[in-house]
């Protein structure tokens, strides 16, 4: 269609989508916290040219993904 979309519209779409997914996020978190054993892993990845961590926690019924910027740590 080649119709332009404003940055404000994209921002609003992302905010509304996040709000609608909040109940699902809470359900996944409850399932993971109640499970005695779960798979957990982390890996680094590039987001817009900057290093981030991707954390994963999961069971057969649910998976949680969390991404955040990688911060350099000081070695003492």
């Amino acid at each position: 269609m080649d119709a332009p979309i404003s940055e404000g519209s994209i921002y609003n779409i992302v905010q509304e989508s996040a709000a609608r997914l909040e109940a699902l996020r809470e359900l996944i978190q409850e399932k993971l916290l109640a499970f005695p054993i779960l798979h957990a892993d982390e890996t680094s990845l590039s987001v817009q040219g900057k290093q981030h961590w991707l954390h994963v926690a999961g069971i057969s019924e649910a998976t949680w993904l969390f991404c955040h910027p990688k911060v350099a740590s000081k070695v003492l």
Side-chain angles (χ1 to χ4, degrees):
M1 292 193 176
D2 201 30
I5 185 166
S6 72
E7 289 181 25
S9 293
I10 293 171
Y11 176 84
N12 290 337
I13 291 167
V14 169
Q15 294 303 308
E16 183 178 336
S17 298
R20 290 181 178 204
L21 289 171
E22 183 61 24
L24 177 60
R25 185 203 60 80
E26 290 174 359
L27 177 63
I28 291 171
Q29 183 178 5
E30 288 173 12
K31 283 187 172 284
L32 293 177
L33 289 173
F35 215 76
I37 298 174
L38 57 96
H39 168 79
D41 194 13
E42 66 184 21
T43 190
S44 64
L45 72 149
S46 178
V47 177
Q48 295 182 338
K50 296 182 180 178
Q51 286 301 107
H52 282 60
W53 282 115
L54 176 63
H55 300 274
V56 179
I59 58 175
S60 61
E61 299 172 7
T63 300
W64 175 260
L65 300 169
F66 178 73
C67 184
H68 65 87
K70 193 174 187 181
V71 179
S73 60
K74 293 182 181 179
V75 177
L76 301 176

